[in-house]
Structures are given as C-alpha cells and as structure tokens.
Amino acid sequence: MRDKIRKYTEEINSFRTSRKEELEDFRIRYLSKKGIIPGLFSEFKDVPADQRRDIGLMLNELKNTAQEKFDQILHLLEAAETVQKPSLDLTLPADFMETGSRHPVSIIWNEIIAIFSRIGFTVAEGPDIEDDWHNFSALNFQEEHPARDMQDTFFLQEQPAFLLRTHTSSVQIRTMEKTRPPIRALFPGRVYRNEAISARAHCLFHQVEGLYVDRHVSFADLKQTLLYFAREMFGENTGIRLRPSFFPFTEPSAEMDISCFLCGGKGCRICKGTGWVEILGCGMVDPAVLDNCGINSTEYTGFAFGMGIERIAILRYQINDIRLFFENDIRFLRQFRSAL
Ligand code: PHE
C-alpha cells in the first residue's frame, strides 16, 4: 500500500498538460468515484491497525495533492482561455480610419508663409483686440476716416477705444515699435469688419500682411517681391499689374492684379472678361508711420502689402461663396488635401 501511494504521488507530481481533455482524464483516473484514490480509500479498511495512522495520513496527502494539482491546472487553462478569446478578432481586416484634411484657409496661410520665408521673411502675430493707436492713429488714419465709424468697425468699448482689428496692419505698428530695421516679416491673422454677410463679404476673414523696412528699400523691391510671390502662388507664367490706389499708411499706394491664371488673359468668368484679377493692396510705408514708431524716416524706407487669405483661396480653388469657409460643412472641407 505504501509503495502504491508513493508511486501515485510521483505520477501526480510529474503530471503536466495544457489540454483540457487530458486534465479531465487526470480527474477521472485519480479523483472520480471509481478512480484510483477513492479505490485506495476503500482498500484502507484492510490495512492492519498498527499502520492505519501512517497510511491514513499518506492517503489524505495523496488526495490533497491530486485535488490541488487539478485545481491549479484548471485555473491556468481557464485564465489562458479568457486571454485567447477576447472580442477582438485579429484576423478581421482593419477598420478604415478617416484622416482629416486641412482647412483651405490654413493651406493658403501656410503656403504664403512658405513662399515668403524662402526669401527671408519671418512671422509674427498680434492681438485680435486692438486699441485705436495700433489699428488707426499710428497708421495715419484721420479722425474722420470712415473706417473709424461704428458702421465699419466692431467697437468693444468707446472710451478709450477697444475694437476688433479691421486689418493686420496693426501688427506692422507693434513690430516697428519694438524692433529696429532691418525688419522683414509677415503678419498673418484674423480680421473683423462690420459688414452684412453675403456670398462676397463676411464680418470676419483672414489676412497676411508683409513688411520690409531697411535702408534703400525701393518700390522696385516691392514690385519684384510681389512678382516672385505671384509666380510661386499662381504659376511661373503669371504676370502682375500695379494700379495706383490709396491707403492712409502707404505713399505711394497700389493695388496689385495678377494675369488671370484660368484663361491666361483672354477673359473668362473668374476675371470677368478683363484678363486680370485683383489680389492685394500695397505701397511704400508712409514716412509719418515710420516716425510714429520711432524709426527715422530720413534714414529708412520700407514697403508693405496686405492680402486676404480667403480671397486667394477663392481664386485658387474657384470657390463661389465666402460663407463656406466658416460653416464647417465637412462635405466642403474634405475636398482639400495638402502636404503643408
Ligand atoms: N490693410 C490694407 C487692407 O486691409 C491692406 C494693405 C496692407 C495695404 C499693407 C497696403 C499695405 O485693405
């Protein structure tokens, strides 16, 4: 009896399996009603009285060992099973993940900055909420200028005036007040005008302003810089045309047209038959503006230009309604893909 118990103890101790069926065989062999261990217990009644204590202990130990072995392996197999059958089926094809696309305003914003940064322009930004000095007075706007009217400008407070900037030219002033020439910078940002919203006008849009101030900056520099920009933005065959204009802060001032990139100048819907499309305002920084910012206008000259980002995007993508930029309709937005 002792030898049998030792033999089974050894067998049980060395038992290993990773299969449930083999574990069940183990249970049937040792632990079931007709199994080895209950069999040994029934033989126990024949054990002579002087050995009963020892053999009884050995038998109980054998039974515990078998039960523990069984429980332990069962537990491991069950744990492995729950890991192996999660709800995730790794053989399924992956779900399609929608990638976002950039907003057309961001695409053009980035493109304008990339084009000018190749010729040494840096980027700065200013606040959307401005005071009268930076948006108007320092830029040479007369007291009675119509832009100062409530009809054209969103005033947040009248005295002292706080307003939503009507153009990014305010950032020219902030930059010239705190940096000395040479200055060669771009100022992109959001601007606000108190206008009725329609397909052609919105009360908010984006501009990029450019400023170059140094000794001997001339109108020829302005013209060549803008020609470079027009060709990078609209194609190498693009021509430019400067028409005299007026801005309080530049003298002389001009508006720039580009030759129509759609019809090449023959006349079409985009250029309304003229062969030219207007894209920006520009001019030589008025000496009074330089002086307002503490830059000596007898020593330095500069040029500035400003353009609407939506305007460029409307031309580039042939969009017919400016409101589309602000509605966040993804059927509109997902049409724009860009590396920038
Ligand atoms: N600030 C002008 C506008 O909003 C554009 C401009 C900028 C013109 C710089 C000349 C020089 O229309």
Side-chain angles (χ1 to χ4, degrees):
M1 186 95 178
R2 283 175 201 270
D3 289 345
K4 265 201 245 172
I5 294 174
R6 281 199 196 99
K7 182 182 141 231
Y8 290 131
T9 305
E10 239 169 68
E11 250 182 53
I12 289 168
N13 279 334
S14 59
F15 176 73
R16 307 245 181 304
T17 184
S18 57
R19 297 181 49 228
K20 267 199 150 172
E21 304 79 57
E22 283 180 11
L23 182 65
E24 181 59 8
D25 290 345
F26 173 91
R27 191 190 64 79
I28 293 167
R29 178 172 158 79
Y30 295 103
L31 295 161
S32 69
K33 255 191 202 152
K34 292 190 176 143
I36 288 167
I37 294 170
L40 289 173
F41 272 97
S42 45
E43 281 173 37
F44 183 67
K45 55 184 183 304
D46 303 329
V47 172
D50 60 337
Q51 294 176 29
R52 283 188 153 233
R53 211 181 90 89
D54 277 4
I55 293 189
L57 279 174
M58 284 175 75
L59 258 181
N60 273 327
E61 218 167 283
L62 178 70
K63 188 180 163 215
N64 290 342
T65 308
Q67 189 63 51
E68 272 167 26
K69 188 81 176 183
F70 175 81
D71 290 346
Q72 191 191 8
I73 294 179
L74 184 67
H75 179 78
L76 286 174
L77 289 181
E78 276 174 355
E81 231 172 41
T82 51
V83 172
Q84 272 167 20
K85 70 166 196 290
S87 53
L88 190 71
D89 180 351
L90 295 175
T91 63
L92 281 175
D95 275 348
F96 180 72
M97 284 254 276
E98 287 244 36
T99 47
S101 55
R102 282 205 194 276
H103 194 284
V105 168
S106 303
I107 296 173
I108 301 294
W109 169 310
N110 290 339
E111 222 172 297
I112 294 170
I113 287 172
I115 291 170
F116 282 104
S117 63
R118 291 201 284 275
I119 53 170
F121 280 74
T122 56
V123 178
E125 289 184 40
D128 286 22
I129 296 174
E130 268 300 1
D131 50 30
D132 175 89
W133 172 254
H134 292 96
N135 197 78
F136 294 128
S137 296
L139 287 159
N140 237 5
F141 281 78
Q142 301 302 304
E143 276 309 320
E144 65 284 3
H145 193 284
R148 291 177 178 243
D149 197 318
M150 299 276 269
Q151 251 62 54
D152 293 295
T153 302
F154 288 114
F155 283 91
L156 303 177
Q157 180 183 298
E158 261 184 278
Q159 271 314 322
F162 280 114
L163 49 91
L164 295 176
R165 67 178 174 196
T166 58
H167 51 186
T168 42
S169 301
S170 55
V171 196
Q172 279 189 39
I173 302 301
R174 290 189 174 275
T175 303
M176 289 191 283
E177 279 174 342
K178 60 175 200 277
T179 21
R180 295 298 95 189
I183 296 168
R184 196 161 29 179
L186 287 183
F187 315 117
R190 200 171 267 200
V191 301
Y192 307 82
R193 289 185 193 175
N194 195 355
E195 296 211 43
I197 298 170
S198 71
R200 332 210 116 259
H202 211 289
C203 60
L204 81 103
F205 57 99
H206 300 79
Q207 286 188 330
V208 179
E209 186 96 359
L211 176 71
Y212 179 32
V213 182
D214 202 351
R215 290 192 179 87
H216 314 301
V217 175
S218 71
F219 199 91
D221 297 324
L222 170 62
K223 203 173 158 186
Q224 198 59 33
T225 303
L226 293 178
L227 178 63
Y228 158 78
F229 166 71
R231 291 189 166 161
E232 291 290 306
M233 193 79 205
F234 293 100
E236 55 184 351
N237 296 321
T238 310
I240 62 167
R241 176 172 86 171
L242 290 161
R243 282 178 291 105
S245 184
F246 175 81
F247 299 103
F249 39 92
T250 47
E251 181 57 35
S253 305
E255 259 156 329
M256 185 176 97
D257 301 337
I258 54 166
S259 58
C260 184
F261 50 90
L262 197 64
C263 63
K266 285 197 251 352
C268 69
R269 193 175 47 82
I270 295 273
C271 59
K272 299 195 188 73
T274 64
W276 296 94
V277 268
E278 184 193 321
I279 64 159
L280 57 80
C282 60
M284 300 306 291
V285 180
D286 194 303
V289 174
L290 294 173
D291 291 332
N292 284 339
C293 300
I295 292 175
N296 184 347
S297 62
T298 59
E299 192 180 347
Y300 293 103
T301 52
F303 68 66
F305 56 86
M307 67 187 104
I309 298 181
E310 283 81 358
R311 169 107 189 114
I312 305 282
I314 278 171
L315 294 171
R316 175 62 100 62
Y317 299 119
Q318 294 173 43
I319 295 164
N320 58 12
D321 192 325
I322 194 173
R323 290 171 293 199
L324 287 166
F325 291 109
F326 305 100
E327 280 162 5
N328 288 333
D329 184 334
I330 57 170
R331 290 168 303 179
F332 170 71
L333 295 176
R334 68 156 59 106
Q335 299 175 72
F336 302 93
R337 303 272 164 195
S338 153
L340 285 169

